[in-house]
């Protein structure tokens, strides 16, 4: 059994991944809207395909569209968010979509950072969470292992203001 040398593995990690988003349109049961849209998956693309949308499925009123041309890159300052995502019971990939024409959501960003996705959610963008593909999971895991060191939480020691001779000023 050979031991995996992590430093050698890091040299082979790609700097970025090209991904595509699968969006699904299905009939709505609501009287207020005709269709329901949802991101149902993210898939790793072979190369940096141009921004295009291709219908890949059409049966029983359900259509799926493949939106390609997204680039996923990891950032060192987001390592803690990646770490918590990977440690969660269901690691997720986040798809940020912008309501396009006729309220049809158009994916505009793919991220593995919950913090980034949450920031877009607070800005009233639509954010879908989908299962993370195995290739992206392994890539993110290797990135986190090489760049993230959790900091130990230290409880502050309270100062006794009466004993130290300092007075609190009234506001």
């Amino acid at each position: 059994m050979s031991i995996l040398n992590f430093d050698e593995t890091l040299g082979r990690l790609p700097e970025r991944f090209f991904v595509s988003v699968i969006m699904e349109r299905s009939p709505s049961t609501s009287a207020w809207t005709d269709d329901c849209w949802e991101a149902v998956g993210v898939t790793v693309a072979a190369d940096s395909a141009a921004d295009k949308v291709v219908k890949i499925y059409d049966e029983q009123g359900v259509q799926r569209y493949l939106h390609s041309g997204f680039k996923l890159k990891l950032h060192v300052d987001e390592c803690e968010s990646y770490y918590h995502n990977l440690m969660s019971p269901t690691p997720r990939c986040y798809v940020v979509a912008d309501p396009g024409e006729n309220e049809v959501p158009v994916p505009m960003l793919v991220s593995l950072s919950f913090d980034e996705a949450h920031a877009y959610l607070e800005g009233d963008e639509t954010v879908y969470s989908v299962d993370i593909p195995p290739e992206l999971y392994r890539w993110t895991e290797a990135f986190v292992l090489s760049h993230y060191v959790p900091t130990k939480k230290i409880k502050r020691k309270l100062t006794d203001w009466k004993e130290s001779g300092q007075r609190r000023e009234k506001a």
Side-chain angles (χ1 to χ4, degrees), residues 16-20 44-52 68-71:
R16 69 183 59 87
F17 264 97
F18 296 100
V19 295
S20 299
V44 176
D47 59 4
S48 61
D51 296 339
K52 61 181 178 179
S68 57
F70 297 97
K71 180 173 52 173

Side-chain angles (χ1 to χ4, degrees), residues 19-23 39-42 70-72 74 78 80-97 107-121 126-133 136 140:
V19 295
S20 299
V21 176
I22 302 170
M23 295 293 291
V40 294
V42 170
F70 297 97
K71 180 173 52 173
L72 186 59
L74 300 178
E78 291 283 336
E80 186 170 10
S81 184
Y82 304 143
Y83 170 78
H84 290 294
N85 185 9
L86 294 177
M87 296 305 292
S88 70
T90 54
R92 309 303 272 173
C93 209
Y94 302 100
V95 177
V96 180
M108 62 181 207
L109 173 77
V110 178
S111 178
L112 295 170
S113 168
F114 173 79
D115 294 336
E116 182 177 23
H118 189 260
Y120 278 100
L121 195 60
T126 304
V127 178
Y128 302 99
S129 66
V130 298
D131 291 333
I132 185 170
L136 294 181
T140 307

